[in-house]
């Protein structure tokens, strides 16, 4: 039987239940919100009236909106929802955000979509106090949508040129420079670079000039950092092969197939993410290329998988936990003093890098 409505023109309301049960509106409200303070006989009468009229209880959304705070954070990305679970960096970031939310009793709402229209709807309808925006791809659109909600938001990237956007990130140029310097100090002079995506056009061999036009600042800045350090020791960067990947296994394998088909193969690989580096380690092992005996490789991120890979991965570590903690704090405390924070990175040397064989 369909739920009854008062006058058959509107949904049943709490006031209707109170009237049917012969109690005040406040008493009926307490039956659902604070049942322990209502006598059992009254509770049963109100519940019986609610069941008879098809009333399931007050709308939690309305109660939260009246309170003006829902004690929940939206974590938004233009990537598919699976990104939060598949990408090692995203998993670590989500763990740090979750820990910070657990410490305050706040909830988390994951917001993503397969297209812009759905993304706009999901952000507009999310019941949250603010957003943490993963600016991996489609960052400017995410920022625009979050701003339209007139709620606090923090971008986990420094890509936006708008100085008014609160953002937390790292100095990608400095971090990449640390990676390249580590390898040049080990005597390496033959390099290859596996990049993060430059745009949405696919993957394949690319050039420094094309990377300079990349939509994503992280890709541009990491290549700048690599090449500034290589140029410092008189390496001709125009001869360094660059392969744009999609930060996934298929494109990384294609990149290494291309790079190692050349006449002069590299002794050092600079990977713009740990995920790229870990896929590269698998490819090198399967092709009987020893690491670091034949080739050294350095990643970027500092995800846990890198510490237990074979061999353990040398990498540039981002302070992911601190980034998540600061973002949660800014949203829950509605702290507009965050501004744009660039956090330091650290080179962690493990067994994937060693002296040049040549």
């Amino acid at each position: 039987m369909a739920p009854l409505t008062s006058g058959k023109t509107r949904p049943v309301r709490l006031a209707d239940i109170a009237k049917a049960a012969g109690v005040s509106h406040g008493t009926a409200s307490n039956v659902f919100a604070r049942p322990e303070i209502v006598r059992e006989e009254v509770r049963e009468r109100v519940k019986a009236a609610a069941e008879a009229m098809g009333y399931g209880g007050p709308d939690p959304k309305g109660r939260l909106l009246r309170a003006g705070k829902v004690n929940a954070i939206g974590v938004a990305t233009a990537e598919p929802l699976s990104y939060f679970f598949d990408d090692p960096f995203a998993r670590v970031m989500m763990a740090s955000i979750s820990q910070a939310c657990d410490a305050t009793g706040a909830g988390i709402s994951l917001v993503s979509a397969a297209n812009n229209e759905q993304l706009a709807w999901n952000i507009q309808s999310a019941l949250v106090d603010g957003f943490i925006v993963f600016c991996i791809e489609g960052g400017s659109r995410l920022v625009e949508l979050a701003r339209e909600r007139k709620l606090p938001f923090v971008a986990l990237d420094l890509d936006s040129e708008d100085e008014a956007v609160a953002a937390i990130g790292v100095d990608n140029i400095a971090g990449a420079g640390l990676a390249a310097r580590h390898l040049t100090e080990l005597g390496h002079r033959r390099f290859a670079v596996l990049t993060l995506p430059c745009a949405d056009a696919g993957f394949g061999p690319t050039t420094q000039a094309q990377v300079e036009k990349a939509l994503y600042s992280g890709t541009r800045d990491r290549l700048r950092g690599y090449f500034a350090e290589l140029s410092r020791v008189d390496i001709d960067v125009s001869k360094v092969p660059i392969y744009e990947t999609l930060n996934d296994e298929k494109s990384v394998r294609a990149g290494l197939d291309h790079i190692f088909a050349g006449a002069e193969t590299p002794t050092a690989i600079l990977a713009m993410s740990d995920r790229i580096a870990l896929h590269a380690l698998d490819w090198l092992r399967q092709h009987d290329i020893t690491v670091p005996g034949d080739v050294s490789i350095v990643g970027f991120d500092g995800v846990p998988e890198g510490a237990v890979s074979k061999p353990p991965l040398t990498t540039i570590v981002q302070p992911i936990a601190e980034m998540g903690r600061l973002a949660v704090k800014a949203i829950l405390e509605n702290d507009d003093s965050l501004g744009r924070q660039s956090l330091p990175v650290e080179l962690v040397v493990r067994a994937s890098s060693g002296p040049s064989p040549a």
Side-chain angles (χ1 to χ4, degrees):
M1 186 171 110
L4 297 175
T5 59
S6 179
K8 301 185 184 294
T9 59
R10 60 173 175 79
V12 175
R13 297 174 180 171
L14 186 61
D16 302 319
I17 304 304
K19 183 177 180 181
V23 300
S24 69
H25 186 282
T27 297
S29 177
N30 284 335
V31 168
F32 294 97
R34 303 170 63 195
E36 70 279 1
I37 69 170
V38 181
R39 294 197 320 272
E40 182 178 1
E41 172 221 339
V42 176
R43 284 203 311 269
E44 293 305 319
R45 192 163 75 244
V46 171
K47 287 182 178 179
E51 184 176 355
M53 299 176 73
Y55 180 73
D59 182 359
K61 185 181 296 187
R63 183 171 68 251
L64 292 170
L65 291 175
R66 286 192 296 275
K69 190 174 180 65
V70 299
N71 201 33
I73 289 175
V75 183
T77 179
E79 298 278 343
L81 189 60
S82 60
Y83 167 75
F84 290 114
F85 307 97
D86 292 343
D87 186 85
F89 175 84
R91 287 201 300 268
V92 176
M93 180 62 75
M94 285 306 304
S96 70
I97 290 172
S98 298
Q99 289 167 5
C101 286
D102 284 345
T104 62
I108 297 174
S109 176
L110 301 182
V111 181
S112 70
N115 56 64
N116 280 337
E117 183 178 340
Q118 187 179 4
L119 181 64
W121 167 255
N122 288 348
I123 287 182
Q124 287 297 329
S125 61
L127 195 62
V128 296
D129 295 313
F131 292 96
I132 296 174
V133 177
F134 271 74
C135 292
I136 308 302
E137 295 187 18
S140 59
R141 177 60 174 156
L142 283 170
V143 167
E144 176 188 340
L145 291 169
R147 186 175 261 156
E148 287 176 0
R149 279 293 304 270
K150 302 189 186 312
L151 290 173
F153 69 91
V154 177
L156 292 179
D157 193 357
L158 300 175
D159 189 34
S160 173
E161 296 180 357
D162 186 346
E163 294 294 325
V165 173
I168 302 170
V170 298
D171 188 336
N172 283 299
I173 294 177
L178 285 175
R181 185 180 313 141
H182 169 65
L183 291 170
T184 60
E185 288 176 348
L186 289 169
H188 293 276
R189 292 298 181 269
R190 300 202 312 271
F191 284 80
V193 178
L194 295 171
T195 81
L196 288 164
C198 296
D200 300 322
F203 59 91
T206 188
T207 66
Q208 183 180 7
Q210 289 172 319
V211 175
E212 281 295 330
K213 299 175 184 177
L215 292 177
Y216 312 120
S217 66
T219 306
R220 295 194 306 268
D221 287 349
R222 291 181 192 182
L223 188 69
R224 289 169 182 169
Y226 292 150
F227 278 7
E229 190 59 35
L230 298 185
S231 297
R232 190 183 65 81
V233 295
D234 299 322
I235 293 174
D236 184 353
V237 296
S238 69
K239 296 181 179 178
V240 174
I242 308 169
Y243 196 95
E244 178 185 357
T245 80
L246 299 179
N247 201 31
D248 66 359
E249 182 178 8
K250 178 182 177 180
S251 59
V252 171
R253 286 181 171 275
L256 292 170
D257 286 340
H258 172 81
I259 290 167
F260 280 86
E264 187 175 61
T265 58
T267 66
I269 296 173
L270 291 161
M272 286 193 184
S273 78
D274 283 353
R275 188 179 191 184
I276 292 172
L278 293 170
H279 287 314
L281 285 176
D282 288 340
W283 186 95
L284 292 166
R285 183 169 52 253
Q286 290 166 12
H287 287 76
D288 296 321
I289 299 172
T290 63
V291 178
D294 298 320
V295 175
S296 289
I297 184 166
V298 177
F300 201 118
D301 281 335
V303 302
E305 291 87 343
V308 295
S309 61
K310 295 182 180 180
L313 179 66
T314 296
T315 188
I316 301 300
V317 175
Q318 302 192 60
I320 304 174
E322 179 66 3
M323 293 166 71
R325 186 191 69 80
L326 287 173
V328 170
K329 181 176 182 291
I331 299 301
L332 293 182
E333 296 181 5
N334 198 9
D335 182 3
D336 57 6
S337 66
L338 177 67
R340 299 169 68 80
Q341 291 199 22
S342 179
L343 302 183
V345 294
E346 176 188 5
L347 170 68
V348 172
V349 178
R350 299 193 183 109
S352 71
S353 58
S356 171

